[in-house]
């Protein structure tokens, strides 16, 4: 009987105790994903390297091992202001904290302590892979003319493989708007953030926005207990801007002066369905000339550094 790759299901739930199965269910913890991949046994195989009086290799022994799972989810708010989106638990597993302002917004900000781990269940058309103590990295993908995505890559401890099936409920997952001028608007550079609003700065036409948290996800094998940890964060990104000659000259001067400034944008047009991204301390580096269908755009890499600490980047659902 044939098996099909699209007959797959991801469940994710925050663990009460790191590495202890949180027992996610299809009714409460299903994740609506795209571009799903798994490395079911990322093993450090140990060769026996035996000396024998004939040619031939030696078998390898499976040593320490983890499981890697990667997927994208659509970046859309919950539909109700002040209600956490369905992808919130995934961000918690990437060294973020969640703060809810009732009836107003939900803020996600990076943390250095009190990090959360996830239990992931990966159902692959009749086979269940359990991934425990999972932590990961996340990338914001908001390119013009595309649906906005959060790209996740998790690593966790192998919790076993068994024959099993399940179904998922996807009601909490909302349909996103494509990144367009009416839906998203301009990038703001030099802006500030307060209580769910961006203010100040200069707006620039752009090709969208990309940022990767750059979490250092580390597996530490120990006798008595393996673990996955996030040990550092280095947020980077990129933008392409449509600049006037005067703006390009000013931007190059700011690059040479190592200037840092706030960068932000808001995607969505109705309350409850908006997502804002803001970084307070962004350095534009590596300017490049970009040809987009004959139009001259200027590209920059971004370095998003902390200002007061644990504020490298903020994701807000409004």
């Amino acid at each position: 009987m044939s098996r099909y790759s699209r007959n797959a299901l991801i469940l994710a739930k925050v663990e009460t105790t790191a590495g202890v199965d949180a027992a996610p269910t299809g009714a409460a913890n299903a994740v609506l994903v795209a571009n799903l991949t798994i490395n079911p046994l990322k093993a450090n195989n140990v060769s026996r390297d035996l000396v024998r009086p004939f040619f031939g290799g030696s078998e390898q022994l499976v040593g320490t091992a983890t499981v890697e799972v990667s997927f994208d989810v659509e970046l859309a708010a919950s539909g109700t202001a002040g209600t956490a989106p369905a992808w919130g638990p995934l961000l918690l597993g990437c060294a973020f904290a969640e703060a809810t302002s009732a009836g107003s917004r939900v803020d996600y900000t990076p943390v250095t302590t009190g990090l959360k781990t996830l239990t992931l269940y990966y159902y692959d058309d009749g086979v269940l892979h359990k991934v425990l103590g999972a932590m990961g990295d996340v990338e914001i993908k908001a390119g013009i003319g595309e649906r906005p995505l959060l790209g996740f890559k998790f690593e966790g401890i192998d919790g076993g493989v068994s024959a099993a099936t399940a179904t998922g409920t996807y009601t909490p997952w909302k349909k996103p708007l494509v990144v367009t001028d009416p839906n998203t608007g301009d990038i703001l550079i030099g802006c500030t953030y307060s209580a769910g609003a961006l203010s100040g700065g200069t707006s620039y036409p752009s090709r969208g926005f990309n940022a990767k948290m750059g979490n250092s996800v580390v597996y530490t094998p120990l006798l008595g207990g393996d673990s996955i940890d996030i040990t550092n964060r280095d947020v980077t990104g990129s933008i392409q801007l449509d600049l006037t000659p005067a703006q390009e000259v000013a931007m190059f001067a700011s690059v040479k002066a190592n200037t840092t400034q706030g960068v932000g944008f808001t995607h969505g047009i109705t309350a409850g369905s908006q997502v804002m991204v803001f970084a307070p301390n962004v350095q534009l580096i590596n300017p490049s000339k970009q040809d987009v269908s004959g139009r001259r755009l200027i590209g920059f890499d971004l370095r998003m550094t902390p200002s007061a600490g644990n504020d490298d980047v903020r994701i807000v659902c409004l």
Side-chain angles (χ1 to χ4, degrees):
M1 179 178 177
S2 299
R3 295 171 61 203
Y4 300 99
S5 57
R6 72 179 301 107
N7 289 340
L9 171 66
I10 292 288
L11 310 181
K13 186 176 180 181
V14 175
E15 295 174 341
T16 301
T17 302
V20 177
D21 192 344
T25 66
N29 308 112
V31 182
L32 187 59
V33 304
N35 304 318
L36 176 61
T37 63
I38 184 172
N39 182 349
L41 195 65
K42 182 186 174 185
N44 177 27
N45 292 331
V46 180
S47 179
R48 295 184 68 193
D49 289 333
L50 300 174
V51 177
R52 296 175 293 192
F54 46 83
F55 292 154
S58 300
E59 68 268 32
Q60 294 185 336
L61 308 176
V62 176
T64 56
T66 59
V67 181
E68 287 184 337
V69 179
S70 300
F71 51 81
D72 292 336
V73 304
E74 294 173 326
L75 180 57
S78 67
T80 303
T83 298
W87 40 263
L90 301 174
L91 277 187
L92 299 186
C94 296
F96 275 80
E98 179 183 274
T100 300
S101 300
S104 175
R105 68 185 190 276
V106 183
D107 288 75
Y108 292 93
T109 52
V111 291
T112 300
T113 60
L115 277 59
K116 305 294 186 182
T117 57
L118 303 179
T119 292
L120 302 176
Y121 283 10
Y122 186 121
Y123 288 91
D124 184 25
D125 201 1
V127 175
L128 167 60
H129 299 266
K130 292 187 177 183
V131 188
L132 307 180
M135 305 187 83
D137 195 16
V138 58
E139 181 178 3
I140 302 168
K141 308 174 186 179
I144 183 74
E146 300 177 356
R147 57 182 176 155
L149 298 172
L150 293 174
F152 291 96
K153 182 178 182 180
F154 289 102
E155 185 169 4
I157 306 302
D158 179 13
V161 182
S162 61
T165 60
T167 58
T169 299
Y170 299 116
T171 306
W173 295 86
K174 303 304 179 182
K175 187 184 302 182
L177 294 173
V178 172
V179 178
T180 64
D181 184 44
N183 294 336
T184 311
D186 295 345
I187 297 284
L188 286 172
I189 297 181
C191 59
T192 59
Y193 170 86
S194 179
L198 297 175
S199 60
T202 303
S203 63
Y204 294 91
S206 74
R207 295 279 296 169
F209 179 89
N210 173 271
K212 187 172 184 178
M213 296 309 105
N215 290 337
S216 296
V217 182
V218 179
Y219 166 55
T220 305
L222 297 171
L223 298 178
D226 297 348
S227 67
I228 304 291
D229 300 287
I230 294 175
T231 60
N232 201 4
R233 176 175 56 248
D234 188 6
V235 188
T236 59
S238 61
I239 54 173
Q240 290 178 303
L241 302 178
D242 184 9
L243 301 177
T244 67
Q247 288 172 333
E248 180 178 347
V249 171
M251 283 285 190
F252 271 66
S254 70
V255 169
K256 293 177 181 179
N258 305 309
T259 302
T260 60
Q261 52 197 322
V263 175
F265 72 95
T266 302
H267 176 69
I269 54 179
T270 59
S273 299
Q274 295 179 307
V275 178
M276 176 187 294
V277 178
F278 173 71
N281 212 41
V282 180
Q283 181 184 14
L284 278 65
I285 61 173
N286 301 330
S288 59
K289 303 281 189 174
Q290 305 286 332
D291 184 326
V292 179
S293 301
R295 287 284 299 275
R296 171 61 72 214
L297 299 185
I298 309 301
F300 298 91
D301 292 335
L302 307 176
R303 291 196 56 77
M304 303 175 207
T305 57
S307 178
N310 292 316
D311 59 354
D312 322 40
V313 66
R314 177 185 297 264
I315 302 172
V316 188
C317 293
L318 299 164

